[in-house]
Amino acid sequence: MAVINNFPIETKKRLLLASILGFLWGSAVGVFFWVGLLNAVEEKIIRLEELLPTPQKANQFVLIEIDRIPVDRPWPWPRLEYSLFLRSLIPLTPQSVVMDILFTERGPRLDSFDETFRSLINRLNRVCFAGAALKTETLAHQQILFEKFLVRGDPRFLPKYGSAFWPSTDLTEGNPVGINNLGVGTNRGLRSVPLFFQLNENFVPSLSLVAATAKMDASIKKSEARLNKAFLLRNDSGQILRRIPLDAEGRMQLRFKHSRSGVIHIKYDDFLLYADQLARGIKPAFDLQLIHGKQVWLGLTDPAFTNWLDTDIGKMSPVEIRLEATRQIVQGDFLRRIPKGAAFAFLFLLAILAPRLFVRFSLLKAFLFFFILLGTILCLSVGGFILYNLVFPVASFFLLSVGIILCGLSARYWKFHVIILKSPHLERMEAVLERIEKKLLHDGTNKPD
């Protein structure tokens, strides 16, 4: 014997009950989603989605790794070593160069070739240098030059620094400098990096941001940081080139993909060998002409001299992480979360309307329609993540789906022996829900021919 009889009033009661139960369940899930109770689960789902293959992007970066410090060339290296590197790099015409090395040490062994080093820097298009921020203040006064930009929002959550190691202006020749700290304060895997730092009363850009600016011909002084919203990277004319998602601490979230990231890796000693072979007319094992027009990074990756950090794809050296941040900025490879308001409205509307399927149709058809709807939404979510980096609240959606099924079945099998639903307010609510259902679910059974 069918539970739903042929009397319209019985069906209307159950439809209204399904929407009321869905309203209550949707309100609970919506609150969980809004306050972030499911954020930990959502992050785990995002990490699983990162395993999916994504469209390959053109190689725009080259990392020359100092992966081994020989005994006869102790660290830190003198300027002569970097002069030889720059001399080999100049004929390859890179778009820009990032020296992820702290040029703060002084002494006859280190700075005796500063003049040669500066002359080679002037022959390159753009060269970015690294500084390091310190929590404590130093007694020695040091001139720190950097491009200033506007910061909007409450800066009290920003980590504060009192001083910095900074290359001298004589050495950098007016080229931009960025702080290369990663701000790692926990033992958990690294998931974000700072885009700028609060140094005393100033806001100083990171090396990753400075490098991205050099690559994109952007202007930091024309840019603007909106805390807990986005960093607006602009060019000299004020046009927005990138909207970089930003949290309250001035950090951007990283995407560690398991597929190739579009960075060419060359070992430092191999690069010098290839450059020497190319200069003598010998074809090297690697085509150095691929460096033309790309941004070249030089950084230390020797595990004996730098601490590698845990990430979602294994341990990475600090220079690789900073380069990855720059790559994501340049290529616009950010996680774009659906606005909370839009996601909440969608989940809430689905919670009110979807349970009615289990009243209007037989159980087989209801489950069929619901799982088709569920699969369509999941496919759109995965496709949006792969193609456009859109993040849909999948955990909240699954929790909502379980409640939709329970609410629909409860309304279908509810006993109305002691319940009377004849209030005018409920009748008006029922009429509104029926109009919404017809519009959104394309129910054309009552439409005129």
Side-chain angles (χ1 to χ4, degrees):
M1 178 178 177
V3 175
I4 301 178
N5 56 36
N6 294 326
F7 296 100
I9 185 63
E10 180 78 6
T11 302
K12 290 182 178 180
K13 285 182 182 180
R14 296 185 184 278
L15 287 172
L16 182 57
L17 180 61
S19 294
I20 293 175
L21 294 176
F23 171 85
L24 297 176
W25 184 260
S27 300
V29 175
V31 170
F32 295 161
F33 164 72
W34 194 267
V35 301
L37 291 180
L38 301 175
N39 283 354
V41 182
E42 300 284 6
E43 287 296 325
K44 291 182 179 179
I45 293 176
I46 291 175
R47 296 183 188 183
L48 292 176
E49 290 179 316
E50 295 283 10
L51 298 174
L52 298 171
T54 55
Q56 294 292 330
K57 305 220 173 171
N59 293 330
Q60 301 183 58
F61 301 91
V62 178
L63 173 58
I64 298 179
E65 308 177 55
I66 304 175
D67 65 318
R68 185 178 64 89
I69 304 297
V71 177
D72 58 341
R73 285 188 294 167
W75 189 262
W77 285 350
R79 310 286 189 262
L80 174 61
E81 188 73 42
Y82 302 111
S83 298
L84 295 174
F85 164 73
L86 293 178
R87 189 184 298 277
S88 301
L89 190 62
I90 287 172
L92 304 175
T93 60
Q95 186 269 346
S96 54
V97 179
V98 181
M99 306 289 287
D100 195 358
I101 308 289
L102 291 177
F103 294 102
T104 56
E105 296 86 356
R106 310 296 297 180
R109 186 183 75 86
L110 298 174
D111 56 15
S112 57
F113 284 85
D114 277 7
E115 189 64 34
T116 303
F117 185 70
R118 284 194 295 267
S119 66
L120 293 171
I121 288 173
N122 290 331
R123 293 172 60 185
L124 289 163
N125 185 22
R126 296 180 183 87
V127 181
C128 304
F129 289 89
L134 304 174
K135 286 289 187 180
T136 58
E137 294 187 10
T138 58
L139 297 178
H141 175 72
Q142 187 178 15
Q143 186 180 21
I144 298 178
L145 298 179
F146 57 90
E147 288 189 288
K148 298 183 179 180
F149 55 93
L150 180 63
V151 176
R152 298 182 185 273
D154 187 355
R156 61 181 173 175
F157 296 107
L158 292 174
K160 295 174 177 57
Y161 296 85
S163 59
F165 288 132
W166 212 255
S168 67
T169 55
D170 293 337
L171 190 66
T172 60
E173 289 288 312
N175 285 284
V177 182
I179 294 178
N180 67 359
N181 297 47
L182 292 175
V184 182
T186 66
N187 295 324
R188 297 179 298 174
L190 185 69
R191 292 289 296 172
S192 62
V193 295
L195 282 186
F196 57 91
F197 300 81
Q198 185 172 359
L199 182 59
N200 294 321
E201 300 300 323
N202 298 308
F203 298 100
V204 184
S206 68
L207 181 62
S208 297
L209 182 60
V210 167
T213 302
K215 178 63 177 172
M216 300 176 64
D217 293 324
S219 172
I220 288 183
K221 62 183 178 181
K222 294 282 187 179
S223 301
E224 175 185 344
R226 298 178 180 178
L227 293 174
N228 212 24
K229 292 182 180 178
F231 189 96
L232 306 181
L233 187 62
R234 295 187 170 98
N235 58 16
D236 288 325
S237 62
Q239 178 185 0
I240 297 178
L241 303 178
R242 289 288 182 272
R243 295 179 182 269
I244 309 169
L246 200 66
D247 66 13
E249 296 182 356
R251 303 175 71 93
M252 67 167 280
Q253 186 172 0
L254 292 176
R255 294 192 63 190
F256 293 107
K257 298 182 178 180
H258 291 257
S259 56
R260 296 180 60 186
S261 63
V263 177
I264 300 173
H265 292 252
I266 308 175
K267 294 181 179 180
Y268 180 80
D269 291 337
D270 291 343
F271 170 77
L272 294 182
L273 174 63
Y274 298 153
D276 180 67
Q277 291 175 338
L278 188 64
R280 292 189 287 116
I282 302 174
K283 183 178 180 180
F286 178 83
D287 185 9
L288 291 181
Q289 297 302 326
L290 293 175
I291 292 178
H292 171 72
K294 295 180 173 60
Q295 184 175 86
V296 176
W297 283 60
L298 177 67
L300 181 64
T301 61
D302 188 344
F305 289 86
T306 185
N307 293 323
W308 285 46
L309 302 173
D310 290 320
T311 69
D312 292 345
I313 57 174
K315 287 184 175 294
M316 295 178 67
S317 63
V319 63
E320 290 177 294
I321 295 173
R322 288 187 282 269
L323 173 53
E324 182 62 21
T326 298
R327 183 199 67 79
Q328 292 181 26
I329 295 173
V330 172
Q331 297 181 350
D333 194 10
F334 313 120
L335 292 177
R336 297 177 173 87
R337 301 181 185 275
I338 295 177
K340 267 191 172 183
F344 179 87
F346 173 77
L347 294 174
F348 193 71
L349 191 61
L350 188 65
I352 294 176
L353 296 179
R356 297 165 71 91
L357 292 171
F358 295 90
V359 176
R360 295 187 63 86
F361 304 102
S362 65
L363 280 181
L364 182 60
K365 285 186 177 180
F367 274 107
L368 178 62
F369 292 157
F370 180 72
F371 282 119
I372 289 176
L373 177 64
L374 181 68
T376 302
I377 294 174
L378 289 179
C379 288
L380 291 175
S381 172
V382 172
F385 185 87
I386 293 175
L387 298 176
Y388 305 106
N389 300 334
L390 286 176
V391 177
F392 183 77
V394 178
S396 301
F397 176 67
F398 269 114
L399 182 60
L400 186 76
S401 300
V402 173
I404 287 174
I405 295 175
L406 295 177
C407 292
L409 293 178
S410 298
R412 182 181 181 89
Y413 292 106
W414 194 280
K415 302 297 183 180
F416 286 101
H417 299 303
V418 294
I419 297 180
I420 301 176
L421 299 174
K422 294 184 179 180
S423 169
H425 300 290
L426 294 179
E427 292 178 358
R428 284 196 293 270
M429 184 187 303
E430 177 185 338
V432 171
L433 289 172
E434 286 184 355
R435 286 197 295 270
I436 296 176
E437 182 182 13
K438 288 179 182 179
K439 183 177 180 181
L440 297 181
L441 300 181
H442 305 287
D443 180 14
T445 56
N446 296 325
K447 292 182 179 179
D449 296 332

